[in-house]
Amino acid sequence: SAFGASGQAAEAMVSVGRVMGDPAAQAMLNRVEAERLRAWGKAVLGLHPVRRDLHLFMILTGMRRTSACEARIDDLDLGTKRLHVPKPKGGAQRAFDLPLSGPLADLLGQRQSESPRLHRKSPWLFPADSKSGHVAEVAQWELDGLTGHALRHTYATLALQAGVPIAELKFLLNHAAGNVTMGYLNPSLDHLRGYQERASAYVLDALGLGECLLEGGSLARDDLQRGDFQYHDGSLPMSLIEPKTYVRRALEGARPARCPVLPGRLPQSCL
């Protein structure tokens, strides 16, 4: 665990408190969960840019692992801020369009422009040197077990806390209609996008990345030169081998002196 012995003790206390209905234990649970999310937000920024953005995409959408890993550049429409998901769980008959918030459009837009440079002629938003050509394995020890389907649960919980109604949340998660009334509903993407914006802002804030949001819901963006950002082992991410504009947030709390915000350009300033 990222919290060591003290974290394990807190979690044990929480388990007992749940049974006893102890408000103090519930408060402890809230603190532990908040700390874990912020630790995740800090840790994810140290990953390779492709994997970093994949995990962020999954926690900002709740998308299942296979659909996220198989997201294609041709299915992304930044003009209408949507991502078509042709074969989700349930097959082609469950295909849907995912509405993109400002931060999501920024993140995927960066992947759209960077992926062909990292992997020539790759059709994937999250390419990798694998048999399939895209990221297939999402396990990541740095993220303390909060990967894959756990991110779907996390997104659903945080979106609900952000005020997204259950009905809209079911559409955002592409859950099958659970009753006749849900089967009648067919909300527009614009309607759903408003709730996606709310969810994204809330999730980023929970991860400690809320300060990256600008008015209007997009991410702040820094122009980074080589050397402004390094992994903990001192190596440079592939995206910064050449000077590139990238979303970042200082891992240790310090920002580079050169951090202009560029209105109207694709954000990537906190990652």
Side-chain angles (χ1 to χ4, degrees):
S1 170
F3 306 109
S6 62
Q8 294 171 9
E11 290 170 1
M13 176 182 172
V14 166
S15 297
V16 174
R18 276 173 169 165
V19 176
M20 299 179 64
D22 184 354
Q26 184 60 48
M28 174 68 78
L29 171 65
N30 293 338
R31 287 197 295 273
V32 168
E33 290 179 342
E35 289 172 3
R36 189 183 187 199
L37 284 172
R38 287 184 173 269
W40 190 98
K42 184 175 181 179
V44 76
L45 300 184
L47 303 180
H48 182 281
V50 174
R51 297 188 68 84
R52 174 201 67 200
D53 288 355
L54 173 61
H55 289 295
L56 282 169
F57 173 69
M58 292 177 70
I59 202 172
L60 286 168
T61 63
M63 188 167 288
R64 293 182 174 91
R65 176 186 62 83
T66 300
S67 294
C69 291
E70 294 180 355
R72 290 177 173 267
I73 293 174
D74 287 347
D75 288 329
L76 176 63
D77 187 342
L78 292 176
T80 58
K81 295 175 70 173
R82 72 179 70 193
L83 175 70
H84 183 62
V85 185
K87 293 182 180 179
K89 181 179 179 181
Q93 64 270 27
R94 295 284 300 154
F96 72 105
D97 286 340
L98 177 75
L100 303 178
S101 63
L104 279 168
D106 291 338
L107 185 149
L108 294 184
Q110 186 70 12
R111 284 294 103 230
Q112 182 184 54
S113 62
E114 286 290 300
S115 290
R117 189 179 68 82
L118 298 177
H119 295 263
R120 285 191 64 190
K121 298 183 180 180
S122 173
W124 311 108
L125 282 169
F126 303 105
D129 293 324
S130 65
K131 183 177 180 180
S132 64
H134 59 70
V135 177
E137 177 54 63
V138 297
Q140 198 81 48
W141 69 265
E142 296 95 330
L143 301 183
D144 192 30
L146 192 54
T147 60
H149 207 71
L151 296 182
R152 186 170 173 83
H153 289 228
T154 301
Y155 167 79
T157 300
L158 294 178
L160 189 66
Q161 292 175 1
V164 178
I166 289 291
E168 279 78 3
L169 184 55
K170 284 187 174 183
F171 281 101
L172 291 172
L173 290 168
N174 197 39
H175 277 161
N179 54 52
V180 175
T181 302
M182 282 296 297
Y184 290 159
L185 302 180
N186 186 28
S188 69
L189 281 184
D190 286 340
H191 174 80
L192 293 175
R193 187 175 296 107
Y195 288 106
Q196 191 78 287
E197 294 282 3
R198 182 183 299 185
S200 289
Y202 192 90
V203 172
L204 287 170
D205 187 63
L207 297 176
L209 304 178
E211 68 189 48
C212 301
L213 285 177
L214 297 175
E215 184 177 356
S218 65
L219 295 167
R221 180 168 179 155
D222 302 332
D223 269 2
L224 300 184
Q225 300 298 321
R226 187 174 308 180
D228 281 341
F229 178 91
Q230 292 182 336
Y231 290 132
H232 291 300
D233 65 1
S235 63
L236 286 171
M238 289 180 68
S239 61
L240 297 180
I241 292 174
E242 298 176 4
K244 286 287 178 180
T245 303
Y246 234 78
V247 188
R248 77 178 292 281
R249 169 192 165 93
L251 294 179
E252 305 301 333
R255 298 179 65 83
R258 184 173 60 261
C259 296
V261 171
L262 306 176
R265 296 179 61 182
L266 293 176
Q268 285 273 319
S269 65
C270 299
L271 310 179

